[in-house]
Amino acid sequence: MVDLLEAVIRGLGRGSIYALLALGFVIIFKATRVISFAQPAFMLAGAVLVTFLVGPLGFWGALIAATLLTALLALGVERSAVRPMVGRPAFVVAIITLGVDIAVRVVVNAFLGINVRQVDDPWGLKTVELAGLRVEQRHIAVLLTTTVLVAGLFAYFRFTRMGLAMRAASYDQEAALAQGVSVGSVFAVSWAMAGGLAAVAGTFVAAGENVDGLMWRIALVALPVIILGGLDSLPGAVVGGLLVGVLQELAANYQAEYAPVWLGENVSIITPYVVMLLVLLVKPYGLFGTREVERV
Amino acid sequence: MLQVTNLEVVYDDVALVLRGISIRVAPGQIVALLGANGAGKTTLLRAVTGLLDVHEGEITKGSVSLDGTPIHKLRPAAVVRMGIGQVMEGRRIFAELSVEENLRLGGHTSSGSHKERLERCYSLFPVLATRKRSTAGYLSGGEQQMLAMGRALMASPKYLLLDEPSLGLAPKLVEQIRDLIVQINASGTGVLLVEQNATMALSIASHGYVMENGKIVLDKPSGELLADEDIREFYLGSHTKSFRDVKHYQRRKRWLS
Ligand SMILES: Nc1ncnc2c1ncn2[C@@H]1O[C@H](COP(=O)(O)OP(=O)(O)OP(=O)(O)O)[C@@H](O)[C@H]1O
Ligand SMILES: [Mg+2]
């Protein structure tokens, strides 16, 4: 039992990171109907920025600064590479974001160099005893940070003028325009948000470890997450992310006991895709997706 | 004064849909714009509100001006800020959002709190006040039309453009909508009323235009239009605006010209 609960908490920590990344994908998709493949680069950029800023600013200060800077970077990318392509087929724009991703990662990797860089988080691999469970502090930290961010996002979309405008534009762009909503600002804000969320995710991936140039691959797990959660659903991104994180940890924890040997030792890697497949068999538009959304 | 002068609009670089349209709406006036399906009424409204872009449409000639200031190069948001509100064809409410959220969106460009504007809206459309938390998509057709009108009024426009507000509504509701338009106008808002229900439109408008194939073919005070033979026969004759009749009308016109 203790074993199971500990795995679940680890899973929630890992799932929080997926949720942050998936939220970025979904926010951009809702605004522009395009899947942006630039998320992995923003994630790496955020973590690398933290490694440079953590000295003068401390961890939280560096995290906030890196988040804002990455949001700014995303804003610049949107304005220069994506906005001019508005109106082109979604597939074309998606490929452009893929190019952006590679370009940004090349630059960021240059800053990363061959040195071992760390985000110097306060937790490392330290654990804490919670109701008889041994829990890594960094998992608690990312879970709490994600909770705060998600609550903030939901409040933003519910109560603020721009948040409401973004929701309206995602349902009917022309009608939103007719109310005086600037669709350009909607695009810009959604890219900035996605960039910031990816930066936070990247920093927490690196917490307790080094910044690895290959860590962007984790962002790819967000793809099955958003599809199983429903491409256009923010709650779907959160629930899907946490679900996949937990199932992955459970798979890693129990595969030695229960999985057949021929499956190898890394069942947890394919878990997200298996879950996605199973969900889509039952719910073709994902857990929370709406019907009209085009299929990828 | 809202003024459209010699306007030409082309869709997709090829289809000339408006061929030199001129109309004017004076402050506080109700003007009716009549015309059969495909005449270009909605296109004219899009040209005024900056929504042609969305449809790959473009103004190739002419101008739209508000109190002498040209506005046809402005973005939709700027047009709303200048004081032109619109109720789009088919209402286009945000079905997934609540009634009050729809109204708040109407006030997107207005500064300050929505509170007072919402109050005004609810006093004009009491039915919306009782449903403010409901999902807009579950409202009846008439209620949705009122929501679309209330949403446009949230920006306190000087001119309100209405695209076929009576479409698909029962006669009783059409009457109610008509009375509401009169009430909105009475508080000083100029109205450009696009309608296929000519009886309704001409009963409240002071002036009317009839459009056909992208041109204004009649431009008269409503009283005279109501008395006009062609209008009587083809727009006022039967309430069921049959497409075949309209087609017949167009054929005959071409034959005569
Ligand atoms: N997005 C578009 N692209 C190309 N052609 C269009 C577009 N929208 C409208 N048209 C054409 O322009 C002409 C005028 O259309 P418009 O919608 O303005 O007419 P309307 O008078 O509003 O008709 P209705 O009474 O049916 O609403 C029609 O021939 C229509 O096919
Ligand atoms: Mg029309």
Side-chain angles (χ1 to χ4, degrees):
Chain A
M1 191 60 190
V2 168
D3 205 29
L4 174 72
L5 288 177
E6 283 181 358
V8 167
I9 293 179
R10 271 203 307 282
L12 289 175
R14 183 197 278 261
S16 299
I17 287 165
Y18 297 154
L20 291 175
L21 289 162
L23 277 170
F25 279 104
V26 170
I27 287 171
I28 290 183
F29 181 80
K30 277 176 79 88
T32 63
R33 299 286 135 176
V34 169
I35 301 227
S36 159
F37 291 103
Q39 288 292 88
F42 295 140
M43 175 184 172
L44 191 61
V48 170
L49 277 167
V50 169
T51 68
F52 283 97
L53 297 169
V54 71
L57 299 179
F59 179 77
W60 290 108
L63 178 59
I64 291 167
T67 302
L68 295 177
L69 285 173
T70 310
L72 219 55
L73 173 67
L75 213 61
V77 165
E78 192 276 329
R79 200 73 190 76
S80 59
V82 181
R83 189 83 63 88
M85 297 297 142
V86 165
R88 307 287 170 90
F91 180 71
V92 173
V93 184
I95 298 300
I96 284 171
T97 64
L98 197 59
V100 166
D101 177 67
I102 294 168
V104 173
R105 274 195 289 118
V106 166
V107 175
V108 173
N109 271 321
F111 279 98
L112 194 53
I114 51 165
N115 306 318
V116 173
R117 300 199 65 89
Q118 291 177 327
V119 292
D120 279 334
D121 57 285
W123 312 290
L125 299 175
K126 279 181 282 188
T127 59
V128 60
E129 179 105 10
L130 267 187
L133 305 174
R134 255 234 156 262
V135 184
E136 280 190 49
Q137 293 179 5
R138 56 176 180 161
H139 291 150
I140 304 288
V142 68
L143 190 55
L144 289 178
T145 307
T146 304
T147 310
V148 170
L149 286 174
V150 167
L153 276 178
F154 278 72
Y156 178 83
F157 284 120
R158 203 168 169 80
F159 300 116
T160 69
R161 210 174 268 217
M162 191 61 197
L164 186 59
M166 289 174 77
R167 278 162 70 207
S170 86
Y171 294 127
D172 186 339
Q173 214 169 74
E174 188 187 8
L177 273 171
Q179 312 312 314
V181 172
S182 152
V183 172
S185 318
V186 169
F187 286 9
V189 173
S190 62
W191 269 75
M193 279 182 169
L197 289 167
V200 176
T203 307
F204 278 101
V205 171
E209 292 164 24
N210 303 323
V211 177
D212 181 342
L214 294 180
M215 76 181 202
W216 60 271
R217 290 180 186 176
I218 289 173
L220 297 186
V221 179
L223 293 174
V225 164
I226 56 173
I227 290 168
L228 80 87
L231 259 180
D232 61 344
S233 164
L234 298 173
V238 177
V239 173
L242 295 177
L243 182 71
V244 165
V246 169
L247 290 175
Q248 247 185 337
E249 279 301 331
L250 292 180
N253 214 35
Y254 293 107
Q255 77 160 357
E257 281 167 69
Y258 299 106
V261 176
W262 58 263
L263 264 176
E265 308 215 314
N266 284 315
V267 176
S268 69
I269 293 176
I270 57 163
T271 316
Y273 301 92
V274 174
V275 179
M276 174 184 88
L277 204 67
L278 293 178
V279 167
L280 289 189
L281 286 177
V282 188
K283 303 205 70 166
Y285 300 92
L287 293 174
F288 299 89
T290 36
R291 209 138 222 300
E292 301 89 306
V293 171
E294 63 254 60
R295 315 300 311 278
V296 279
Chain B
M1 173 87 72
L2 175 62
Q3 190 156 11
V4 175
T5 315
N6 285 330
L7 197 72
E8 279 190 15
V9 167
V10 170
Y11 280 117
D12 302 314
D13 294 329
V14 285
L16 182 63
V17 169
L18 298 189
R19 310 152 189 264
I21 294 269
S22 299
I23 65 165
R24 44 167 65 199
V25 186
Q29 193 187 16
I30 300 183
V31 170
L33 179 61
L34 311 175
N37 290 99
K41 307 179 296 292
T42 300
T43 303
L44 176 58
L45 297 192
R46 284 178 188 152
V48 173
T49 54
L51 289 175
L52 280 175
D53 260 2
V54 184
H55 297 271
E56 313 292 333
E58 201 191 346
I59 295 176
T60 48
K61 227 192 224 167
S63 68
V64 182
S65 69
L66 179 64
D67 301 331
T69 318
I71 59 168
H72 54 277
K73 293 208 171 67
L74 297 183
R75 289 161 190 274
V79 175
V80 176
R81 282 203 191 86
M82 294 279 294
I84 296 181
Q86 71 170 324
V87 173
M88 297 164 79
E89 186 170 24
R91 299 167 196 137
R92 302 287 282 271
I93 55 154
F94 300 105
E96 295 86 346
L97 304 181
S98 74
V99 168
E100 184 149 315
E101 283 173 332
N102 268 275
L103 292 176
R104 275 166 56 202
L105 272 160
H108 181 76
T109 54
S110 317
S111 53
S113 143
H114 291 315
K115 201 150 183 271
E116 205 176 300
R117 288 186 289 270
L118 281 171
E119 297 286 310
R120 225 180 330 133
C121 222
Y122 288 141
S123 68
L124 192 55
F125 308 99
V127 58
L128 297 183
T130 63
R131 313 274 317 252
K132 51 174 118 166
R133 311 237 172 280
S134 334
T135 304
Y138 296 143
L139 298 184
S140 72
E143 289 163 349
Q144 292 194 7
Q145 185 59 49
M146 291 181 207
L147 178 56
M149 287 164 68
R151 185 175 66 178
L153 289 176
M154 283 291 288
S156 318
K158 287 186 262 186
Y159 292 90
L160 182 63
L161 318 182
L162 295 158
D163 200 344
E164 305 205 29
S166 75
L167 194 71
L169 299 184
K172 263 259 167 323
L173 275 167
V174 174
E175 259 171 50
Q176 199 183 346
I177 295 288
R178 185 194 62 194
D179 294 346
L180 283 165
I181 296 172
V182 171
Q183 218 175 322
I184 291 165
N185 174 249
S187 61
T189 313
V191 175
L192 177 58
L193 176 57
V194 168
E195 263 300 341
Q196 298 218 8
N197 185 336
T199 321
M200 184 274 238
L202 292 177
S203 72
I204 57 173
S206 57
H207 198 90
Y209 295 91
V210 177
M211 238 178 126
E212 199 178 286
N213 282 320
K215 281 197 178 129
I216 300 289
V217 290
L218 290 170
D219 167 2
K220 289 180 181 173
S222 333
E224 286 178 38
L225 280 179
L226 274 166
D228 186 281
E229 279 288 304
D230 281 346
I231 294 289
R232 289 189 75 80
E233 191 172 346
F234 300 104
Y235 286 96
L236 303 176
S238 66
H239 238 50
T240 54
K241 46 170 175 42
S242 145
F243 191 56
R244 213 181 50 220
D245 289 350
V246 170
K247 273 273 143 75
H248 172 73
Y249 174 51
Q250 287 174 339
R251 253 202 316 273
R252 200 185 66 134
K253 273 278 183 178
R254 228 169 286 135
W255 174 250
L256 287 175
S257 58

